[in-house]
């Protein structure tokens, strides 16, 4: 069961920022606020760094528990800490 | 012994043949030839095998020996074997290229055995026959562009037209259409070399399989059929099935064409369709009316030039999906396909977005019963679907980034967990930004607020500035937008 639910890794990722998505999320959350022109790029940068840190932390957790696969618990533990 | 071959020794093949042929009993007439004969006798077996491969792989000594043999062969060729060289070369050509029915060079080859008296003519003919071998290699290279070119059908059509004019003098033994494309391309390329034209397809019969340019004919046929069918059915009063089926597409066309001021290129289509439309509209049912109304409302929304495309595609999709209409799906879908195929090449733009938008509109339309001729709450039925999907689609981008950064295989549940984390993260982010902007007395979130946020998170420190992070993690285009940079003309972009 574990094997079947493992997601394959992609080697290539796109580096574009989903600017429309970010703007929409912000608008939906805070309709009264406005976001500036290049503000969503910085938001994207922030997201990247957050995801990067989260992934590193979960990877560390998984390695420490000697698992070959990153589990839900590893991610949760990483999220709780940060 | 100077290392110099007058004829150039183009291929090891010729070398080999010369070696083998000059090893005939005629050879030992001169003292040089005796030496050469001895050399040949020694090296024949070895060099025959190796020369057939590549001259480069031969050891220097042997290659030199081969060259010396060739040289001596040439010397002899000049002296005594003048009669043989054209013939032997001809034999070589015939052996190596059996299938090619060489036309033009035959004129070169035929007079070759005849004038055996004059030396320079023989040399020229030998060179000419040598050139024959060059085109043997050329076609293989020109076939590559020939293979690539057929992707562009327009070019092929033009070439074939051109080739028809050019090929008047040259006989075409192959089928005109099928191989004309293959042969025309390669022949047009080979004309400069004055070489055979059609044997390309003979040599590589696989190319003959390329389909000829049938599209134009089909479109014309379909247009004719369309006109015939569009004019014919309303009059004999076919059952409402066909009408209801055709009414939609016809309405689509009508609405599209009526709304557009200028018929793009389908004015010929428009006229018969208009006739069909008028007649069909009279016989339409409420179903058709409601559908047309909905289509009208949906049609006027997005850009009009792209409507007919979207409509045809959608109607085609509808017909193919077998919607809940009680129509003969075969007839209607067939007609829709025909009309759509006829329309699509004429109306160049294809709009998948409009298609999707239409799909969203069209789906609820056939669903409600025919009695309910009211615009259904389109937004409500399709609301929940797009609200969640783009959100998840956007999040999936970051989820992929997560799995990329993790560099380890992950479980699906873990990815779902990551999605939840991201959701929470975005909420917190927006709250923080709101607080920061309010603190600065603003209602707009500015990059300074973002910098403050990152400083609080510990990403930006006194050692690591925001610009450094931008340069590190964002692609160049964004860096250009974010970091002010001086440009020519005393301008800074973006303005500080």
């Amino acid at each position: 069961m574990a094997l079947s639910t493992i997601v394959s890794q992609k080697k290539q990722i796109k580096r574009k920022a989903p600017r429309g998505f970010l703007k929409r999320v912000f608008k939906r959350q805070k309709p009264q606020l406005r976001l500036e022109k290049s503000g969503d790029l910085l938001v994207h940068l922030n997201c990247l760094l957050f995801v990067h840190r989260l992934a590193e932390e979960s990877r560390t957790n998984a390695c420490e528990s000697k698992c070959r696969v990153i589990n839900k618990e590893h991610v949760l533990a990483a999220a709780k800490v940060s | 012994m100077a290392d110099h071959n007058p004829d150039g020794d183009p291929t090891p093949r010729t070398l080999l043949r010369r070696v083998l042929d000059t090893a005939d009993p005629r050879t030992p007439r001169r003292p040089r030839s005796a030496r050469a004969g001895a050399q040949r006798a020694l090296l024949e077996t070895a060099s025959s095998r190796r020369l057939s491969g590549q001259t480069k792989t031969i050891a220097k000594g042997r290659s030199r020996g081969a060259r010396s043999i060739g040289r001596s062969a040439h010397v002899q060729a000049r002296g005594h074997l003048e009669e043989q060289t054209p013939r032997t070369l001809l034999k070589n050509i015939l052996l190596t290229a059996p299938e090619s029915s060489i036309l033009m060079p035959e004129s070169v080859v035929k007079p070759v055995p005849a004038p055996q008296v004059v030396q320079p003519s023989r040399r020229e003919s030998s060179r000419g026959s040598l050139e024959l071998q060059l085109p043997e290699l050329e076609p293989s290279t020109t076939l590559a562009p020939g293979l690539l070119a057929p992707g562009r059908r327009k070019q092929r059509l033009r070439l074939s037209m051109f080739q028809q004019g050019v090929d008047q003098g040259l006989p075409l033994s192959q089928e005109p259409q099928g191989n004309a494309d293959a042969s025309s391309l390669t022949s047009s390329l080979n004309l400069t070399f004055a070489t055979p034209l059609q044997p390309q397809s003979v040599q590589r019969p696989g190319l003959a399989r390329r389909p000829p340019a049938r599209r134009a004919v089909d479109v014309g046929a379909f247009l004719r059929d369309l006109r015939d069918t569009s004019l014919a059915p309303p009059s004999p009063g076919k059952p409402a099935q066909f009408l209801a089926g055709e009414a939609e597409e016809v309405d689509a066309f009508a609405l599209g064409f009526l709304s557009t001021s200028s018929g793009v290129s389908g004015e010929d289509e428009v006229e018969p369709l208009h006739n069909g439309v008028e007649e069909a509209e009279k016989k339409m049912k409420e179903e058709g009316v409601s559908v047309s109304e909905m289509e009208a409302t949906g049609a006027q929304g997005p850009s009009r030039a792209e409507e007919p495309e979207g409509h045809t595609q959608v109607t085609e999709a509808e017909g193919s999906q077998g919607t809940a209409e009680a129509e003969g799906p075969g007839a209607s879908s067939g007609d829709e396909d025909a009309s759509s195929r006829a329309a699509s090449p004429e109306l160049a733009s294809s709009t998948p977005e409009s298609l999707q938008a239409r799909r969203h509109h069209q789906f609820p339309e056939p669903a409600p019963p025919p009695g309910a001729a009211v615009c259904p709450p389109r937004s409500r039925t399709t609301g929940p679907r797009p609200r969640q999907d783009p959100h998840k689609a956007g999040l999936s981008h970051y989820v992929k980034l997560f799995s990329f950064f993790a560099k380890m295989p992950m479980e699906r549940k873990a990815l779902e967990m990551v999605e939840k984390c991201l959701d929470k993260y975005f909420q917190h982010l927006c709250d923080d930004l709101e607080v920061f902007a309010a603190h600065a007395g603003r209602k707009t979130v500015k990059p300074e607020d973002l910098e403050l946020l990152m400083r609080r998170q510990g990403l930006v420190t006194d050692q690591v500035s925001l610009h450094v992070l931008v340069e590190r993690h964002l692609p160049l285009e964004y860096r250009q937008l974010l970091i002010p940079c001086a440009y020519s003309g005393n301008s800074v972009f973006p303005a500080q």
Side-chain angles (χ1 to χ4, degrees), chain B residues 370-442:
Chain B
V374 182
C375 288
R378 205 181 306 146
S379 55
R380 275 175 236 164
T381 51
T382 56
R385 202 191 295 145
R387 199 187 300 152
Q388 198 54 25
D389 281 352
H391 189 75
K392 288 233 158 144
L395 276 185
S396 70
H397 184 250
Y398 289 110
V399 173
K400 278 182 209 165
L401 279 169
F402 182 90
S403 69
F404 176 75
F405 285 138
K407 293 187 187 6
M408 275 173 66
M410 306 190 50
E411 288 192 350
R412 274 191 219 283
K413 297 212 172 165
L415 292 177
E416 289 166 18
M417 196 76 244
V418 170
E419 271 181 22
K420 283 188 210 163
C421 287
L422 276 170
D423 270 333
K424 273 196 212 166
Y425 163 76
F426 277 124
Q427 285 171 14
H428 288 313
L429 180 87
C430 293
D431 294 336
D432 289 348
L433 287 177
E434 186 185 10
V435 166
F436 294 154
H439 176 78
R442 279 184 265 112

Side-chain angles (χ1 to χ4, degrees), chain A:
Chain A
M1 177 213 147
L3 280 171
S4 63
T5 54
I6 289 172
V7 183
S8 68
Q9 289 254 308
K10 250 194 175 177
K11 295 306 159 197
Q12 286 273 23
I13 45 153
K14 12 178 207 180
R15 301 244 174 222
K16 280 182 89 173
R19 297 186 75 171
F21 167 71
L22 291 172
K23 192 135 166 94
R24 203 187 317 140
V25 163
F26 187 77
K27 263 294 166 188
R28 212 169 263 165
Q29 279 276 317
K30 306 280 169 197
Q32 67 274 14
L33 287 182
R34 283 190 250 164
L35 189 56
E36 217 182 304
K37 262 196 289 191
S38 316
D40 56 349
L41 291 176
L42 289 169
V43 169
H44 175 70
L45 175 66
N46 207 7
C47 291
L48 274 180
L49 291 167
F50 166 73
V51 161
H52 191 64
R53 281 183 296 164
L54 193 65
E56 286 292 333
E57 192 64 35
S58 347
R59 190 157 163 258
T60 314
N61 287 352
C63 288
E64 278 181 6
S65 62
K66 305 268 190 208
C67 295
R68 299 284 304 277
V69 181
I70 293 182
N71 260 332
K72 213 171 137 181
E73 298 84 34
H74 305 140
V75 175
L76 262 179
K80 287 290 174 211
V81 171
S82 65

Side-chain angles (χ1 to χ4, degrees), chain B residues 247-484:
Chain B
E248 275 188 58
E249 54 158 295
V250 160
D251 280 336
F253 273 118
L255 287 165
F257 285 117
L258 285 169
S259 56
T260 57
S261 53
S262 62
V264 181
S265 54
E267 278 181 357
D268 295 333
E269 270 185 309
V270 174
E271 287 157 19
L273 284 172
H274 270 305
N275 300 335
V277 165
E278 288 157 20
E279 291 170 354
E281 278 179 5
K282 289 172 200 164
K283 299 180 189 178
M284 258 193 312
K285 284 184 179 178
E286 288 182 4
E287 179 183 41
V289 168
S290 61
V291 166
S292 68
E293 278 177 5
M294 288 176 233
E295 286 186 5
T297 53
Q300 285 156 13
S303 61
R304 292 177 180 182
E306 300 161 339
E307 271 172 15
E309 258 303 296
H311 273 301
T312 56
Q313 285 175 4
V314 174
T315 49
E316 187 180 25
E318 262 193 330
S320 64
Q321 285 169 11
T323 50
E325 290 154 10
E327 300 156 356
S332 54
S333 62
D335 279 322
E336 284 163 12
D337 287 340
S339 57
S340 62
R341 240 177 276 152
S344 48
E346 310 235 343
L347 308 165
S349 63
S350 65
T351 57
E353 290 153 6
S354 67
L355 167 71
Q356 277 178 8
R358 290 312 147 76
R359 274 219 189 111
H360 285 308
H361 291 311
Q362 297 276 352
F363 273 144
E365 287 163 19
V374 182
C375 288
R378 205 181 306 146
S379 55
R380 275 175 236 164
T381 51
T382 56
R385 202 191 295 145
R387 199 187 300 152
Q388 198 54 25
D389 281 352
H391 189 75
K392 288 233 158 144
L395 276 185
S396 70
H397 184 250
Y398 289 110
V399 173
K400 278 182 209 165
L401 279 169
F402 182 90
S403 69
F404 176 75
F405 285 138
K407 293 187 187 6
M408 275 173 66
M410 306 190 50
E411 288 192 350
R412 274 191 219 283
K413 297 212 172 165
L415 292 177
E416 289 166 18
M417 196 76 244
V418 170
E419 271 181 22
K420 283 188 210 163
C421 287
L422 276 170
D423 270 333
K424 273 196 212 166
Y425 163 76
F426 277 124
Q427 285 171 14
H428 288 313
L429 180 87
C430 293
D431 294 336
D432 289 348
L433 287 177
E434 186 185 10
V435 166
F436 294 154
H439 176 78
R442 279 184 265 112
K443 286 200 181 163
T444 316
V445 175
K446 287 205 158 169
E448 293 101 43
D449 303 329
L450 265 295
E451 175 157 9
L452 182 60
L453 174 77
M454 295 179 74
R455 194 173 269 276
R456 279 182 59 100
Q457 285 183 350
L459 294 165
V460 172
T461 63
D462 296 332
Q463 275 70 42
V464 179
S465 85
L466 178 64
H467 289 199
V468 167
L469 289 175
V470 167
E471 282 193 29
R472 238 186 252 168
H473 293 120
L474 292 186
L476 185 64
E477 296 82 25
Y478 298 154
R479 183 214 181 281
Q480 216 172 301
L481 292 174
L482 285 170
I483 297 176

Side-chain angles (χ1 to χ4, degrees), chain B residues 108-389:
Chain B
V108 177
V109 167
K110 275 172 191 169
V112 160
Q116 290 180 358
V117 182
V118 185
Q119 293 182 14
S121 67
R122 264 170 243 148
R123 277 186 207 161
E124 284 165 15
S125 58
S126 71
R127 272 177 216 143
S129 49
L130 274 176
E131 280 168 8
L132 286 173
Q133 296 182 0
L134 282 174
E136 286 173 11
L137 301 170
E138 297 289 355
S140 58
T141 54
T142 51
L143 275 170
L147 284 167
L148 290 171
R152 304 177 188 175
R153 312 250 173 152
K154 287 182 194 169
Q155 279 193 10
R156 199 204 293 172
L157 286 174
R158 282 183 215 146
L159 272 172
S160 63
M161 299 274 286
F162 171 72
Q163 208 55 43
Q164 282 167 15
V166 169
D167 279 346
Q168 283 166 6
L170 303 162
L172 285 173
S173 59
Q174 310 301 325
E175 304 100 22
Q177 263 202 344
N179 295 334
D181 296 334
S183 56
S184 68
L185 275 171
T186 50
S187 59
S188 64
L189 293 165
N190 288 338
L191 270 176
T192 54
F193 300 115
T195 44
L197 301 172
Q198 70 275 34
Q200 316 310 330
S201 49
V202 179
Q203 280 174 359
R204 314 285 171 97
L207 287 178
R209 269 191 266 110
R210 237 181 288 145
R214 275 190 232 120
R215 269 192 188 173
V217 179
D218 272 0
V219 168
F222 273 123
L223 280 175
R224 279 174 237 132
D225 290 342
L226 181 70
R227 276 175 221 158
D228 297 337
T229 51
S230 63
L231 289 171
S235 37
K238 270 193 182 177
Q241 303 174 1
F242 184 83
L243 275 181
E246 207 196 11
E248 275 188 58
E249 54 158 295
V250 160
D251 280 336
F253 273 118
L255 287 165
F257 285 117
L258 285 169
S259 56
T260 57
S261 53
S262 62
V264 181
S265 54
E267 278 181 357
D268 295 333
E269 270 185 309
V270 174
E271 287 157 19
L273 284 172
H274 270 305
N275 300 335
V277 165
E278 288 157 20
E279 291 170 354
E281 278 179 5
K282 289 172 200 164
K283 299 180 189 178
M284 258 193 312
K285 284 184 179 178
E286 288 182 4
E287 179 183 41
V289 168
S290 61
V291 166
S292 68
E293 278 177 5
M294 288 176 233
E295 286 186 5
T297 53
Q300 285 156 13
S303 61
R304 292 177 180 182
E306 300 161 339
E307 271 172 15
E309 258 303 296
H311 273 301
T312 56
Q313 285 175 4
V314 174
T315 49
E316 187 180 25
E318 262 193 330
S320 64
Q321 285 169 11
T323 50
E325 290 154 10
E327 300 156 356
S332 54
S333 62
D335 279 322
E336 284 163 12
D337 287 340
S339 57
S340 62
R341 240 177 276 152
S344 48
E346 310 235 343
L347 308 165
S349 63
S350 65
T351 57
E353 290 153 6
S354 67
L355 167 71
Q356 277 178 8
R358 290 312 147 76
R359 274 219 189 111
H360 285 308
H361 291 311
Q362 297 276 352
F363 273 144
E365 287 163 19
V374 182
C375 288
R378 205 181 306 146
S379 55
R380 275 175 236 164
T381 51
T382 56
R385 202 191 295 145
R387 199 187 300 152
Q388 198 54 25
D389 281 352

